[in-house]
Amino acid sequence: MNKKFNDIMENKWWQEIAVVGFSFTIYTLKNDWMLISSFISILMGIFFYCILYMHAQFNRFFILPILFKGQRPLSYIFLTLLGVLVFSVILYEITELNMFSKCHLYQNSHQRSYVYQLASVLGTLVCILSPIIVFKFYRINKKQTDETLLFNQMQLNSLKGQLNPHFLFNTFNTLYGISLEFPERTPDLIMKVSQLMRYQLESNNKQCVSLEDELEFINSYIQLEKERVGYRCEITYDSKIDNENAYKISPMLLIAFIENAFKHGTCAIEKCFVRIIITVENGLLHLHVVNSIPKKTDVVSTKIGLKNTIERLNLIYGKEYQLDIKDDKNTYIVDLKLQLKKFV
């Protein structure tokens, strides 16, 4: 139903029909057509409306561009008033013709006056131009919105394209590190990595995935990191979700913060830790990540993952999210809060 209504709203011909129907209804009510019984008077009424409609269209195509394109409001007002005066004189002269002597269109003397014709021309002009201008701005705004959405989607796809190789690079580094120390565990780890890659590929073309799938992906990644550094690093992960199946989220939106914590928080040999807490209450997601910062490190950071993720957050949520990052030399803390949308 909404799609059909939107199609009608965006169709210029349907808009023209709506404008004609609206203005013609106002015109007939103004002239008390309920009292008209003569077929000739109906034809005369339609004839009068056509003159008024022609005047409005003349203003629309020849005078209105002076206001919108030429940016000359005073010239537009002067020419509009001149057009109203000219067409009101034409209508007044027509009502004085003998052919209207038997017409019941104007029964009262005030309806045959010049002031009445002037009001008719001006009123009909407003009734016709107002919805036309509204529809015009609706189409312009709709076009700009569509272009903005398309541009944002292109940016998101570009950021995803940069993020995915970055994630692959870090994951294979993790797998390589484990294979050097524990080669016998490599086959099982390759299987886990393949599952992560499968999720990444399947979700790559989706705008949203279920929160349950995203959390399962995060949990699998954390388990992989535990295999790598769990023996020498304190790793804790806790999640409390009121209803995992009820919410949706952009795929791989949180993983960059978790990756970053493991990359920098586990490079030291002693007293390193990574703590991750994810909660969702009434649709409000809160990601809390804390990791230790080693005194000396050889890890080189390009910060591509974090930068792209923050840009994705800006594109998807605008200002409707909170991201606080604190670095106190000993710990690195990330707090992200955003409102999730429910599956329809």
Side-chain angles (χ1 to χ4, degrees), residues 166-204:
H166 181 267
F167 174 76
L168 283 171
F169 177 77
N170 288 342
T171 303
F172 280 120
N173 271 347
T174 299
L175 183 60
Y176 176 72
I178 298 175
S179 65
L180 290 179
E181 297 186 25
F182 309 100
E184 70 279 0
R185 291 158 57 186
T186 302
D188 292 336
L189 295 176
I190 290 177
M191 183 60 66
K192 290 182 179 180
V193 171
S194 68
Q195 292 174 353
L196 295 176
M197 296 303 103
R198 183 180 295 110
Y199 174 81
Q200 183 192 34
L201 291 173
E202 290 177 353
S203 64
N204 190 42

Side-chain angles (χ1 to χ4, degrees), residues 31 55 110 129 138-139 170 200 235 266 297 323:
N31 287 300
H55 166 248
H110 78 277
L129 282 189
Y138 170 81
R139 290 195 301 268
N170 288 342
Q200 183 192 34
I235 300 174
T266 63
T297 178
L323 177 62

Side-chain angles (χ1 to χ4, degrees), residues 42-53:
I42 294 176
L43 292 179
M44 288 299 177
I46 295 175
F47 172 72
F48 264 74
Y49 172 78
C50 288
I51 296 177
L52 295 172
Y53 184 76

Side-chain angles (χ1 to χ4, degrees), residues 41 62 140 175 192 259 265 282 323 337:
S41 63
F62 296 100
I140 293 174
L175 183 60
K192 290 182 179 180
E259 270 190 294
N282 296 324
L323 177 62
K337 294 181 181 180

Side-chain angles (χ1 to χ4, degrees), residues 209-249:
V209 295
S210 69
L211 181 62
E212 181 183 17
D213 291 341
E214 187 71 7
L215 292 180
E216 185 178 345
F217 168 74
I218 290 173
N219 182 65
S220 298
Y221 179 79
I222 293 173
Q223 294 304 317
L224 182 65
E225 290 290 350
K226 282 184 177 181
E227 293 282 350
R228 182 174 70 93
V229 295
Y231 69 96
R232 61 176 177 82
C233 183
E234 177 195 346
I235 300 174
T236 58
Y237 170 60
D238 185 34
S239 64
K240 186 178 179 181
I241 316 299
D242 53 9
N243 190 351
E244 294 181 357
N245 295 319
Y247 305 109
K248 57 184 179 180
I249 189 172

Side-chain angles (χ1 to χ4, degrees), residues 15-151:
Q15 291 174 6
E16 292 293 335
I17 292 173
V19 171
V20 171
F22 170 74
S23 59
F24 190 72
T25 301
I26 298 298
Y27 173 74
T28 55
L29 292 176
K30 176 180 71 68
N31 287 300
D32 299 328
W33 276 43
M34 296 299 294
L35 302 176
I36 296 177
S37 58
S38 170
F39 179 72
I40 296 177
S41 63
I42 294 176
L43 292 179
M44 288 299 177
I46 295 175
F47 172 72
F48 264 74
Y49 172 78
C50 288
I51 296 177
L52 295 172
Y53 184 76
M54 287 174 57
H55 166 248
Q57 293 301 322
F58 176 82
N59 187 292
R60 172 187 180 183
F61 290 107
F62 296 100
I63 303 179
L64 198 60
I66 296 175
L67 176 63
F68 289 126
K69 295 181 180 180
Q71 301 294 318
R72 292 182 291 172
L74 294 179
S75 298
Y76 172 75
I77 293 173
F78 172 76
L79 293 175
T80 296
L81 292 177
L82 181 62
V84 169
L85 292 174
V86 170
F87 272 84
S88 60
V89 169
I90 294 174
L91 285 179
Y92 176 74
E93 293 297 329
I94 292 176
T95 58
E96 295 297 315
L97 297 177
N98 293 331
M99 59 188 303
F100 279 91
S101 60
K102 297 181 180 181
C103 178
H104 300 282
L105 183 62
Y106 295 124
Q107 289 295 314
N108 299 321
S109 59
H110 78 277
Q111 290 180 314
R112 295 180 179 274
S113 66
Y114 173 75
V115 175
Y116 184 84
Q117 302 305 328
L118 180 66
S120 295
V121 173
L122 188 59
T124 308
L125 177 65
V126 173
C127 288
I128 293 177
L129 282 189
S130 296
I132 285 176
I133 293 174
V134 169
F135 282 131
K136 180 181 178 66
F137 279 103
Y138 170 81
R139 290 195 301 268
I140 293 174
N141 183 68
K142 183 70 167 54
K143 183 180 178 181
Q144 292 176 343
T145 302
D146 291 342
E147 289 176 350
T148 301
L149 290 174
L150 180 60
F151 178 73

